[in-house]
Amino acid sequence: MIKVSSVIKKYDDFTALDSLSFEIKKGTIFGLLGVNGAGKSTILSILNGLSRFDSGEIKVFGFDIKKDIKKIKEISSIVPQDLAFYEKLTVKENLDFFAKIQNATKENYDRAIKINTLEDLLNQRASTLSGGQKRRLNIAIGLLNNPQVIYFDEPTVGIDPKSRNEILESIKGYKKLGITVVYTSHYMNEIEKICDDVAIISHGKLVEQGSLKTLFSSKNSNLEKHFIELTEGANV
């Protein structure tokens, strides 16, 4: 289980996370839902040890993030919103490079390729891939270390609906592999498609957390207001 308790993160006078708390069950697909600037990327950065926080407590599968960040990084992976590979290299060369850095086994290497259907693209230069294919390569790199938990920071930004649906379907399959998935989005209907539980955040604060069924049957007017905000312009 991942437990975030009363986390505060400030940038000078700006409070990015304001006593944020939520829990993620092991082996589930958990959605962090919020408009741009809500604090989704900030908490992902903290969970991966890429950014510090001012106060609060975070535990990832029993490890304290302030004391055991090395162990947490060994079992975690993040797929960033920005593409994190070398455009001038082929798909295979990119995978080989990152597999060596992460000491990936051949089994993990082959699985990352298969899950993201990259078999026919291995010898293609990354710069020539479509937007959806680049996203799949980005995700494959994140799977190379066989993570117990993988974080997705809005991985479908800027791609066509067909590629988006393919990526969402592949992410649903990670649950069968026992991987805990944390998925951030400002598209409510993406969260509906793949997530078991969801936390809605706004201005760095938790608005609501629960199962999709519970939240979507809620008569909470405050929650409804955020659903309306997130629905605007979101088509999958």
Side-chain angles (χ1 to χ4, degrees):
M1 181 176 73
I2 299 170
K3 188 172 183 179
V4 175
S5 303
S6 303
V7 169
I8 295 175
K9 170 68 177 178
K10 293 185 177 182
Y11 297 98
D12 296 325
D13 294 332
F14 174 69
T15 301
L17 300 177
D18 191 353
S19 297
L20 183 65
S21 300
F22 57 84
E23 294 184 10
I24 302 171
K25 299 172 188 173
K26 186 176 180 180
T28 60
I29 302 178
F30 184 87
L32 274 174
L33 185 62
V35 297
N36 290 333
K40 305 186 302 296
S41 295
T42 301
I43 188 60
L44 252 61
S45 180
I46 290 172
L47 284 166
N48 283 272
L50 303 175
S51 179
R52 296 182 180 181
F53 56 104
D54 298 295
S55 62
E57 184 180 64
I58 297 175
K59 289 193 175 181
V60 179
F61 296 170
F63 296 118
D64 187 297
I65 202 163
K66 290 184 177 179
K67 300 175 183 177
D68 305 307
I69 188 59
K70 184 177 180 181
K71 293 178 180 177
I72 290 173
K73 284 184 174 182
E74 289 174 356
I75 62 171
S76 306
S77 185
I78 184 169
V79 177
Q81 188 176 131
D82 296 328
L83 298 173
F85 54 77
Y86 297 99
E87 295 270 354
K88 292 183 178 181
L89 299 181
T90 66
V91 170
K92 185 177 186 304
E93 287 169 341
N94 269 292
L95 290 170
D96 288 347
F97 174 77
F98 287 103
K100 186 175 182 179
I101 290 176
Q102 298 180 42
N103 295 315
T105 65
K106 186 177 186 305
E107 180 183 1
N108 294 339
Y109 181 94
D110 291 342
R111 184 176 68 172
I113 292 171
K114 184 177 180 180
I115 289 175
N116 291 282
T117 58
L118 294 172
E119 294 93 336
D120 296 333
L121 302 172
L122 292 175
N123 295 318
Q124 191 166 327
R125 193 177 298 275
S127 60
T128 67
L129 299 175
S130 69
Q133 291 167 341
K134 287 181 178 181
R135 289 290 172 186
R136 280 155 45 198
L137 174 56
N138 218 36
I139 293 170
I141 291 168
L143 284 172
L144 288 171
N145 69 329
N146 190 30
Q148 292 183 41
V149 55
I150 186 166
Y151 302 90
F152 290 91
D153 191 8
E154 301 194 17
T156 63
V157 169
I159 63 174
D160 62 272
K162 181 177 182 294
S163 297
R164 179 180 292 144
N165 284 329
E166 288 174 352
I167 288 172
L168 292 175
E169 286 301 315
S170 70
I171 290 174
K172 283 166 66 175
Y174 300 159
K175 184 178 176 180
K176 298 176 182 177
L177 299 173
I179 300 173
T180 302
V181 175
V182 181
Y183 187 95
T184 77
S185 181
H186 59 271
Y187 292 119
M188 187 174 68
N189 40 7
E190 280 193 354
I191 298 294
E192 284 184 272
K193 283 191 175 185
I194 66 172
C195 294
D196 302 304
D197 300 307
V198 60
I200 300 173
I201 60 175
S202 178
H203 302 291
K205 295 182 179 181
L206 180 71
V207 175
E208 200 79 45
Q209 178 181 355
S211 69
L212 280 178
K213 183 178 180 181
T214 300
L215 292 185
F216 279 85
S217 64
S218 174
K219 302 300 181 183
N220 187 324
S221 60
N222 188 42
L223 186 59
E224 185 177 349
K225 180 190 76 172
H226 287 281
F227 281 170
I228 291 170
E229 280 182 1
L230 290 158
T231 304
E232 293 178 358
N235 293 306
V236 177

